[in-house]
Amino acid sequence: MALRNGCSINAAPAEESEGPGDKEPLIEIEAVPPQCCSARYTLAVLMFFGFSVVYGLRVNLSVAMVAMVNTTDASPTANHSLVTACPLPTPDNSSVPVVLIDTGPQYPWDTKTQGWLLGAFFFGYLFTQIPGGYLSGHYGGSLFLGGGVLGTAALTLLTPLAAQGGAKALFALRALEGFGEGVTFPAMMAMWARWAPPLERSTLISLSASGASFGAFVALPLTALICQTLGWPAVFYICGSGGCLWAVFWFFLVSDDPRTHRRISEEEKNYIINSIGPQGSPHGWSVPLLSMALSGPLWAIILTQMCANWSYYTMLTSMPTYMNNVLHFDLSANAALSAVPFLGALFVSVPSGFLADRLIERRTLSTTAVRKLFTLIGLLVPAVCLVAAGYAGCSAVLAVTLLCVSATVGGIAAAGVFINQIDIAPRYAGVLLGITNTFGTIPGVLAPIVTGYLTEDHTLTGWRHVFWVSAGVNALGALIFTCMGSGVIQTWALTEEERAEEERAEEERAKKESGEEEVRRNEGDPTIAT
């Protein structure tokens, strides 16, 4: 953001101490061009729908799996020592039962196999995060984000064919989809490093990333409806086609940099460029890998995102199974209720980003304090709700309510740790997101597999263990970020121009302090050592 002294907000490597002056807004409101129909908010909306598609492609298998698998009686055996799953609902003879007819072929996959298939996506997703972030930071992110969505959508069209080839073939296809989609989030962050004014970062990035929650919310019930009416193969044909259609709009309307955008106004272009300053330039081929590896704030982001993603991916991939095997909802109710938590997260994440920007702009709290506060709330409250859900028993209303509250409040963390990379190193934000997302994807691989093993007996006790593990990992993440997190741009992330400016400022401060000391010595100040 262009300040009154003509410097970018990114220019200082450390935050000023809080004081009376921190209460003043960082910018003049008149200096900000309109947001409505602006190029930067158009980009955010396109990203929103892009990530909606991405998450639709990611979660559709979670619901379709219920129709794809030839289920068996999941009731525990007699005299079982564990608390059993809820009893099956009593048939209502007064109404016509819902019968799924010709939903597509079914396969004899047990819970462990299903867990591996639901986690397969993340095996591929792991490998392209860092290369995607690195290349996006050098070349620009539009090609990688758009190409990642398009490639994943095209592969999704092949899902029914892969399923016919068996579990191994479907596992391989899902891993390839993850491989293609892995570049999308790092590419998004690399683009915002060039497009997002510092005091609009929380809002723009939260708006863009909230498309993930919207995509999950829409895809879950829509998948169930398609399964019941057209058969589960149609799910993958429709979702894949939607991703291909989105790519057409993306490549036509988007540019990597405001300088090259064909429809941006001069006022907005100058505002963005002057706000971001040198940090909006490409980072080149060289990155400070050693400094990154030794950076405590970066490790705080990595570890905290791993912890937060464990519960998120558990709900994303395993909620339909819980609704089906434990609470015994039919497919339509299952998908609708599984989607509700993501709607809550959508409604919370965007306002949280706006509030975070206002707190930073008006210097009510420092950037570090804002990121820690939002992360703490977004991880601890969901942890408590998850534990409570484990003890809700067969009270479907209570269990679903607690899970919805958990996911909804979890959306607050979107304005905390999940955008912290761009605070500590704007130039390398794409690379850092690639690194943190690579580690953050590990729970996506492990959580469905662990859930499959913990719940193979289809018992309430097994699911209680799942919720306890998720809550404990969440709490650990909150503790780590509170102790180690930072919102200060790191020294290793400064450009040469900023480094020279900082050295000049240090020299001027030293001269000023030396002059003041000399004056005090001449005046006979007894506190000055001779």
Side-chain angles (χ1 to χ4, degrees):
M1 200 69 65
L3 305 182
R4 296 184 185 92
N5 60 6
C7 298
S8 164
I9 192 175
N10 283 318
E15 296 171 337
E16 299 177 4
S17 59
E18 296 183 6
D22 293 326
K23 302 300 183 182
E24 298 178 6
L26 290 176
I27 61 168
E28 299 291 348
I29 301 301
E30 297 80 32
V32 181
Q35 297 175 346
C36 181
C37 301
S38 64
R40 64 192 187 281
Y41 276 85
T42 299
L43 176 61
V45 170
L46 282 170
M47 285 185 178
F48 173 90
F49 285 110
F51 286 114
S52 299
V53 171
V54 159
Y55 265 69
L57 299 175
R58 187 181 300 191
V59 306
N60 52 21
L61 185 64
S62 300
V63 175
M65 185 72 74
V66 177
M68 294 169 70
V69 173
N70 186 9
T71 57
T72 57
D73 184 10
S75 301
T77 58
N79 301 322
H80 205 290
S81 61
L82 296 175
V83 179
T84 60
C86 303
L88 292 169
T90 303
D92 184 4
N93 295 325
S94 63
S95 61
V96 179
V98 177
V99 180
L100 299 179
I101 301 176
D102 194 23
T103 59
Q106 292 187 319
Y107 306 99
W109 297 329
D110 59 21
T111 57
K112 294 179 182 178
T113 302
Q114 292 175 52
W116 280 95
L117 289 174
L118 291 173
F121 176 93
F122 300 101
F123 280 91
Y125 195 66
L126 277 168
F127 289 100
T128 49
Q129 297 280 331
I130 296 175
Y134 176 72
L135 294 173
S136 296
H138 183 78
Y139 290 111
S142 63
L143 175 63
F144 294 94
L145 201 160
V149 177
L150 180 60
T152 305
L155 289 169
T156 298
L157 297 171
L158 302 176
T159 301
L161 181 63
Q164 291 178 18
K168 291 182 179 179
L170 182 56
F171 182 95
L173 181 72
R174 291 290 293 181
L176 279 176
E177 290 182 33
F179 189 87
E181 193 175 307
V183 302
T184 53
F185 273 99
M188 175 201 74
M189 194 63 78
M191 292 191 71
W192 283 129
R194 304 184 188 187
W195 274 94
L199 297 186
E200 294 183 22
R201 283 174 181 164
S202 302
T203 303
L204 289 168
I205 297 175
S206 296
L207 174 59
S208 304
S210 66
S213 296
F214 180 75
F217 168 70
V218 172
L220 287 167
L222 184 61
T223 297
L225 177 63
I226 295 172
C227 284
Q228 290 182 317
T229 55
L230 302 175
W232 67 259
V235 169
F236 303 99
Y237 297 139
I238 293 173
C239 291
S241 300
C244 295
L245 178 62
W246 171 88
V248 173
F249 288 94
W250 175 262
F251 287 117
F252 179 72
L253 296 173
V254 167
S255 176
D256 284 315
D257 193 287
R259 296 173 180 85
T260 59
H261 197 282
R262 293 188 296 270
R263 289 168 296 279
I264 192 172
S265 68
E266 284 296 319
E267 179 188 16
E268 184 183 7
K269 179 169 67 174
N270 292 332
Y271 162 67
I272 294 172
I273 294 172
N274 294 333
S275 299
I276 297 174
Q279 287 289 337
S281 60
H283 58 59
W285 291 112
S286 177
V287 295
L289 292 177
L290 180 60
S291 298
M292 290 178 179
L294 298 177
S295 174
L298 177 56
W299 277 107
I301 299 172
I302 290 171
L303 296 175
T304 305
Q305 284 198 10
M306 289 180 67
C307 293
N309 283 352
W310 184 281
S311 60
Y312 181 79
Y313 284 131
T314 296
M315 294 185 67
L316 189 69
T317 60
S318 302
M319 180 81 79
T321 303
Y322 171 73
M323 297 288 186
N324 180 69
N325 292 347
V326 177
L327 301 180
H328 304 300
F329 288 108
D330 62 42
L331 187 59
S332 295
N334 181 337
L337 291 172
S338 297
V340 170
F342 300 103
L343 178 63
L346 170 65
F347 283 134
V348 166
S349 60
V350 178
S352 295
F354 179 82
L355 176 60
D357 279 338
R358 299 292 78 76
L359 291 173
I360 296 170
E361 177 186 344
R362 300 183 185 282
R363 298 189 181 182
T364 305
L365 294 171
S366 67
T367 302
T368 299
V370 168
R371 300 301 181 225
K372 288 185 177 182
L373 176 64
F374 281 65
T375 301
L376 199 64
I377 296 172
L379 294 186
L380 285 185
V381 175
V384 173
C385 293
L386 286 172
V387 171
Y391 291 91
C394 294
S395 175
V397 173
L398 179 58
V400 171
T401 299
L402 288 168
L403 293 175
C404 289
V405 173
S406 175
T408 298
V409 178
I412 294 175
V417 65
F418 288 103
I419 66 171
N420 192 218
Q421 298 92 341
I422 204 169
D423 295 319
I424 66 171
R427 291 183 70 215
Y428 303 107
V431 177
L432 296 193
L433 187 63
I435 294 171
T436 58
N437 245 16
T438 297
F439 283 94
T441 301
I442 294 174
V445 176
L446 297 180
I449 297 171
V450 171
T451 299
Y453 279 92
L454 290 176
T455 61
E456 59 182 329
D457 291 328
H458 303 284
T459 62
L460 284 172
T461 300
W463 281 99
R464 187 174 298 158
H465 292 159
V466 170
F467 293 137
W468 262 108
V469 169
S470 298
V473 174
N474 251 28
L476 176 62
L479 176 63
I480 291 171
F481 196 75
T482 300
C483 295
M484 298 173 56
S486 174
V488 178
I489 185 170
Q490 300 300 291
T491 303
W492 49 264
L494 296 175
T495 64
E496 292 299 324
E497 178 183 341
E498 290 171 322
R499 208 181 307 276
E501 180 64 29
E502 181 60 21
E503 290 174 357
R504 286 194 295 271
E506 286 290 342
E507 291 175 359
E508 291 176 1
R509 279 195 293 268
K511 290 179 181 178
K512 182 178 179 181
E513 291 173 0
S514 177
E516 291 175 349
E517 183 176 323
E518 183 65 26
V519 170
R520 291 166 61 193
R521 181 180 291 108
N522 293 336
E523 293 175 350
D525 191 335
T527 63
I528 302 297
T530 58

